[in-house]
Amino acid sequence: MTEQVIVEQNAAHPSIQIIRLNRPEKKNAITRAMYRKIADALIAANADAAIKATAILGTEGCFSAGNDLGDFLAAAMGGAMPREIVEFLYAMVRSEKPIVSGVDGLAIGIGTTMHMHCDLTIASARSQFRTPFVDLALVPEAASSLLAPRIMGPQRAFALLALGEGFSGEEARDAGLVWKVSAPDAVEATTLATAAKLAAKPPEALKIARNLIRGDREEIIARIDDEARHFFERLHSTEARAAFEAFMRR
């Protein structure tokens, strides 16, 4: 069976942990098991002195279509809140190593919001960042309701998170969600080169600088928890059930 998340350190970049979403047949939709593997890799990197930075990548033409809808539907039908998602977000927030992400193509839902927890993101111009939370009768997640207004201002944040407006790679760069726009075939190389540049910095100085720039992590964790409570309540709502059923009939 093909690994749906590949975690590796290769000879060309021995100090970089590479996490690759690898479920292209499902547009890299992230399952509970995938969240767990990513979280475990980020937590392990904190304790591994050989890892200086993490790079998160998708596949050609698709970063991620977001959360696996099967998990959402199971929760909507009375299942438990998928804790793997929240624990993945905690691991992103509490990562002690810089995270650089590379996006080509679709970046939907958490495929967009996770980049708010990355230090640098490189995207192709053909990337499409979109969060259809309200369209599915849900609410923003990943502390995006806190972070997006800080990153891009309240109007752009509202357009992304509530209106559900899509942002191209260049629009995402202009909004501050993305650092650099690259050609599609250069996204991975640029992402790894950027992570390698960070990995070569004096580690303690970089850690202190990163902590100062990122600010209070507990405030972010508290917002993740608050959003998750609303999100789970919405999953059980009649409004959300109708929205999901309509989506599945398309």
Side-chain angles (χ1 to χ4, degrees):
M1 182 178 175
T2 303
E3 290 185 85
Q4 295 180 339
V5 174
I6 299 171
V7 180
E8 63 180 345
Q9 289 170 264
N10 60 39
H13 300 285
S15 60
I16 301 170
Q17 174 177 249
I18 302 170
I19 300 175
R20 188 185 305 275
L21 304 177
N22 188 45
R23 198 188 180 204
E25 73 282 2
K26 295 293 185 180
K27 298 181 180 177
N28 294 333
I30 309 174
T31 64
R32 295 173 70 166
M34 292 168 71
Y35 281 119
R36 169 50 54 203
K37 187 166 184 179
I38 300 167
D40 287 347
L42 292 170
I43 292 166
N46 288 340
D48 189 342
I51 295 174
K52 307 296 186 184
T54 291
I56 301 179
L57 299 162
T59 50
E60 183 180 358
C62 184
F63 180 77
S64 175
N67 197 87
D68 184 84
L69 281 181
D71 290 344
F72 273 173
L73 289 172
M77 296 305 291
M81 175 68 182
R83 286 299 301 173
E84 293 87 348
I85 301 175
V86 176
E87 289 164 4
F88 154 75
L89 292 171
Y90 289 172
M92 290 284 289
V93 174
R94 291 173 172 153
S95 173
E96 295 178 8
K97 310 295 172 73
I99 302 174
V100 182
S101 54
V103 178
D104 179 36
L106 288 179
I108 308 300
I110 202 159
T112 285
T113 57
M114 73 164 69
H115 303 291
M116 298 179 192
H117 301 285
C118 296
D119 299 285
L120 293 167
T121 298
I122 291 89
S124 66
R126 69 179 179 181
S127 294
Q128 185 71 12
F129 296 87
R130 188 163 59 86
T131 63
F133 301 128
V134 175
D135 291 339
L136 293 172
L138 301 173
V139 298
E141 37 81 303
S144 58
S145 63
L146 175 70
L147 298 175
R150 291 179 177 178
I151 291 168
M152 59 186 70
Q155 296 250 342
R156 279 174 166 164
F158 195 87
L160 177 69
L161 298 175
L163 184 62
E165 193 77 2
F167 286 31
S168 69
E170 291 177 349
E171 288 169 333
R173 179 193 58 198
D174 292 345
L177 180 62
V178 162
W179 172 51
K180 183 178 287 190
V181 174
S182 177
D185 60 359
V187 167
E188 180 168 333
T190 304
T191 300
L192 294 176
T194 302
K197 188 177 290 187
L198 286 169
K201 303 288 184 186
E204 285 304 313
L206 178 60
K207 181 179 180 179
I208 294 168
R210 184 172 180 265
N211 287 339
L212 290 168
I213 291 166
R214 298 196 71 80
D216 185 0
R217 299 185 190 198
E218 292 311 308
E219 179 188 22
I220 297 170
I221 293 291
R223 182 59 64 93
I224 288 170
D225 290 341
D226 194 27
E227 289 174 344
R229 178 175 56 81
H230 287 291
F231 199 100
F232 190 56
E233 288 172 354
R234 295 302 306 155
L235 273 177
H236 287 103
S237 70
T238 301
E239 195 175 55
R241 189 173 296 110
F244 274 102
E245 287 173 356
F247 181 84
M248 298 302 286
R249 286 197 298 268
R250 290 181 187 176

